[in-house]
């Protein structure tokens, strides 16, 4: 299929506030505590400017969430990739447990990948603001499957010589592995932090 086949952005009412799903924050906090105790968790929160945790029952302000991810990458660079990956996997597990009906999951697992991939991808696109925030989510192509986030708020303003979006990669990989094919892997191939136009993720057999 042609590049740029689908582009999805948050509804205008939500864009102004820059909102993102609470799992971008809630799934990371216990991992920070496991890695360095309450002291590390609190230090990271304070440096990110989060004095009081937001209500996690709905979309939350993306700016402090992005700062926390960025502080983690700056302060504990050796641990940050694995912590972000684990948080992304936990986010996908939350989605599987609470957001995708069991019947739909069973159907996707029963379908050949040729049909399951576009169905799942369209579902992800419809809910893209939960992980893309005020960025623009795009399905670049289905064969091969390439997903993109333009102006990704989680790395907005960062500069790096390598890709940074382990949290997003893990969310995508876990969903496609569980619902389509356990042999699929998600790999970020370009990143906004490296000066690319978008953070692009390839989902393909590993």
């Amino acid at each position: 299929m042609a590049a740029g086949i689908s582009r999805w952005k948050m509804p205008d009412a939500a864009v102004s506030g820059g909102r993102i799903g609470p799992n971008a924050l809630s799934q990371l906090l216990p991992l920070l505590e496991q890695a360095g105790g309450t002291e590390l968790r609190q230090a990271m929160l304070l440096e990110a400017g989060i004095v009081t945790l937001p209500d996690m029952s709905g979309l939350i302000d993306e700016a402090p969430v992005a700062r926390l991810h960025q502080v983690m990458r700056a302060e504990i660079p050796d641990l940050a990739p694995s912590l972000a990956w684990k948080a992304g996997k936990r986010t996908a597990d939350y989605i599987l447990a609470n957001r995708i009906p069991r019947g739909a999951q069973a159907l996707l697992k029963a379908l050949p990948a040729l049909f399951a991939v576009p169905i799942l991808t369209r579902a992800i696109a419809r809910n893209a603001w939960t992980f893309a925030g005020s960025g623009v989510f795009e399905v670049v192509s289905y064969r091969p499957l390439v997903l993109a986030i333009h102006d990704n708020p989680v790395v907005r303003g960062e500069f790096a010589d390598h890709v940074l979006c382990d949290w997003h990669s893990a969310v995508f990989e876990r969903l496609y592995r569980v619902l389509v094919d356990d042999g699929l892997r998600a790999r970020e191939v370009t990143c906004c932090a490296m000066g690319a136009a978008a953070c692009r993720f390839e989902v393909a057999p590993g």
Side-chain angles (χ1 to χ4, degrees):
M1 296 197 178
I5 191 167
S6 306
R7 294 175 72 94
W8 300 80
K9 191 173 173 64
M10 291 180 68
D12 290 341
V15 171
S16 59
R19 314 287 283 178
I20 198 167
N23 280 285
L25 175 62
S26 63
Q27 301 298 345
L28 183 58
L29 294 178
L31 295 170
L32 285 171
E33 189 160 349
Q34 290 173 21
T38 304
E39 296 80 4
L40 176 64
R41 176 182 181 274
Q42 289 305 111
M44 296 286 102
L45 284 170
L46 289 175
E47 191 166 347
I50 304 174
V51 178
T52 302
L53 291 177
D55 178 3
M56 302 285 191
S57 62
L59 295 178
I60 61 177
D61 185 357
E62 71 183 21
V65 175
R67 287 198 301 270
L68 180 62
H69 281 255
Q70 293 169 8
V71 164
M72 179 179 70
R73 287 191 283 268
E75 297 298 328
I76 48 174
D78 292 340
L79 295 176
S82 64
L83 292 177
W85 186 274
K86 290 175 184 176
K89 181 176 178 294
R90 290 169 59 118
T91 297
D93 285 341
Y94 176 89
I95 293 169
L96 290 165
N98 298 278
R99 294 290 181 259
I100 304 177
R102 297 296 180 187
Q105 292 190 37
L107 175 62
L108 286 168
K109 293 175 183 179
L111 287 172
L114 178 65
F115 301 109
V117 166
I119 293 172
L120 175 57
T121 303
R122 285 193 291 269
I124 289 172
R126 285 194 297 271
N127 296 279
W129 55 84
T130 63
F131 58 83
S134 59
V136 178
F137 179 73
E138 176 185 10
V139 182
V140 179
S141 65
Y142 281 106
R143 300 181 69 182
L145 181 59
V146 180
L147 312 175
I149 303 174
H150 298 260
D151 192 24
N152 185 351
V154 180
V155 297
R156 188 178 291 151
E158 278 190 275
F159 300 94
D161 60 2
H162 58 282
V163 297
L164 298 179
C165 304
D166 299 286
W167 180 72
H168 290 93
S169 295
V171 173
F172 296 141
E173 180 170 302
R174 180 66 171 168
L175 290 175
Y176 284 95
R177 285 186 65 182
V178 171
L179 296 175
V180 179
D181 185 340
D182 188 52
L184 292 174
R185 298 292 183 269
R187 181 172 66 96
E188 187 179 13
V189 293
T190 67
C191 188
C192 292
M194 298 177 69
C199 298
R200 289 196 177 203
F201 307 85
E202 291 185 356
V203 182

